[in-house]
Amino acid sequence: MEHASNDPGRDGVLVDGAVTRPSRLTAHDLGRLPQRTVTCTFRGSSGTRTHTYAGPLLLDVLHQAEPRFDPRIKADPVRYVITATGSDQQQATLAWAEIDPDFAGRAVLVALTEDGRPAEGGRPRVVVPGDKCGGRYVAGLVRLHLSAPFPGGGARP
């Protein structure tokens, strides 16, 4: 695993933001995490599609980067969002609570393969099982950014 730089166009996925250990993870690094397989059906630009994806859980990828949650703030993790960015600059967000097993616990993947073949362009894809539309299936993943909408919790005007 390589230390993060500010160039998301290089090989690998930059994991940064509100994490203690920002890094750039290669497909090899991601392949060393526990792998899951899911079959998903969703609407895409070319109609309804069904594919089988394999790769690590997004939760495991982010845990490896050590999110900087504040135990003094009630339910702090639920304030956080993850922004996935593809090589074509497509972005999609997920709430931390969607992937946290204490809340929705969705098995969102950073897929390395689609139907047994390497992901398109050799770059991972975010896969969101249960989404009816493939809009959050970010292909050519280059960055995962963890952030909280408001620092320190509490209501804002």
Side-chain angles (χ1 to χ4, degrees):
M1 180 173 14
E2 183 180 316
H3 183 67
S5 77
N6 292 325
D7 178 11
R10 291 181 34 203
D11 287 339
V13 177
L14 176 64
V15 181
D16 68 353
V19 297
T20 301
R21 297 179 55 210
S23 58
R24 184 173 305 283
L25 301 174
T26 65
H28 177 74
D29 297 326
L30 293 167
R32 293 173 56 199
L33 293 170
Q35 303 291 293
R36 290 276 189 93
T37 301
V38 296
T39 299
C40 304
T41 299
F42 59 92
R43 287 188 318 272
S45 57
S46 60
T48 301
R49 302 165 45 177
T50 299
H51 294 289
T52 299
Y53 297 97
L57 290 173
L58 176 59
L59 182 69
D60 291 342
V61 172
L62 292 171
H63 272 157
Q64 185 170 292
E66 299 176 8
R68 291 191 318 245
F69 300 137
D70 188 340
R72 298 169 299 173
I73 298 173
K74 181 179 179 181
D76 189 41
V78 302
R79 298 183 312 117
Y80 285 75
V81 295
I82 303 128
T83 303
T85 303
S87 57
D88 62 357
Q89 300 307 305
Q90 174 192 357
Q91 290 186 316
T93 60
L94 294 113
W96 181 270
E98 288 183 79
I99 64 170
D100 189 317
D102 288 335
F103 297 95
R106 292 177 80 182
V108 175
L109 293 187
V110 176
L112 299 171
T113 65
E114 177 181 277
D115 300 328
R117 294 182 298 279
E120 185 179 331
R123 288 197 168 275
R125 165 180 236 161
V126 171
V127 173
V128 187
D131 276 11
K132 294 176 183 176
C133 177
R136 294 196 296 174
Y137 283 52
V138 177
L141 186 64
V142 295
R143 185 178 187 195
L144 293 168
H145 182 82
L146 181 65
S147 59
F150 298 113
R156 298 291 189 255

